[in-house]
Amino acid sequence: MSNQVGLMLSFIFLAFFIIFSSETIEYQNKTALALAKTNNIAIYIQENGYDETDESLNKQLSYFLSYEIYKEESKNDFVAYHITTKQNYSSFSNIFDYLNKEIVCKLTIYRKE
């Protein structure tokens, strides 16, 4: 009888561990994707500058829930672009509601203009 109880507890723990592992991997995947897309936007702005009507840039920005890009003049003909992107993550099981977070990526790049 004790072997059956131990076996059932092992299966419950294993199921919980598998669900938690997949939730953690999915959260890390979404975070890495948001950071990679923010880096791509930063590289694009550094190469081409920022134009609100640029179709290619707007296509990249459409992935995010919200974004903010503002320009700050600095010394020696350099311009600082402050990029902030936000994306929501919601867990796919009710057990891990504490993982429901907003993923925020902030970057500052400098461009000579």
Side-chain angles (χ1 to χ4, degrees):
M1 183 69 164
S2 66
N3 286 341
Q4 292 171 346
V5 172
L7 189 61
M8 287 184 349
L9 288 175
S10 295
F11 280 134
I12 290 171
F13 175 74
L14 182 63
F16 182 75
F17 180 73
I18 289 171
I19 291 171
F20 179 73
S21 296
S22 63
E23 188 76 46
T24 305
I25 290 170
E26 183 64 27
Y27 176 74
Q28 290 175 344
N29 185 24
K30 188 111 176 191
T31 303
L33 184 62
L35 185 58
K37 287 186 180 280
T38 304
N39 282 333
N40 284 343
I41 291 167
I43 290 169
Y44 185 85
I45 290 175
Q46 195 166 28
E47 290 175 355
N48 304 317
Y50 178 60
D51 182 16
E52 293 179 5
T53 61
D54 189 356
E55 281 295 317
S56 178
L57 184 61
N58 287 334
K59 184 184 281 187
Q60 292 179 22
L61 288 169
S62 67
Y63 169 77
F64 295 102
L65 183 66
S66 66
Y67 64 90
E68 180 179 316
I69 300 173
Y70 67 93
K71 181 178 178 180
E72 178 183 336
E73 299 290 332
S74 62
K75 297 178 184 178
N76 301 331
D77 296 330
F78 281 96
V79 176
Y81 288 97
H82 301 282
I83 304 166
T84 304
T85 57
K86 295 179 183 177
Q87 181 68 10
N88 282 339
Y89 176 77
S90 58
S91 64
F92 51 84
S93 62
N94 293 334
I95 300 170
F96 304 110
D97 281 341
Y98 65 90
L99 286 175
N100 293 343
K101 297 181 180 181
E102 184 175 64
I103 301 167
V104 179
C105 300
K106 293 182 179 182
L107 287 175
T108 301
I109 58 167
Y110 291 91
R111 183 174 194 273
K112 187 161 182 131
E113 295 200 1

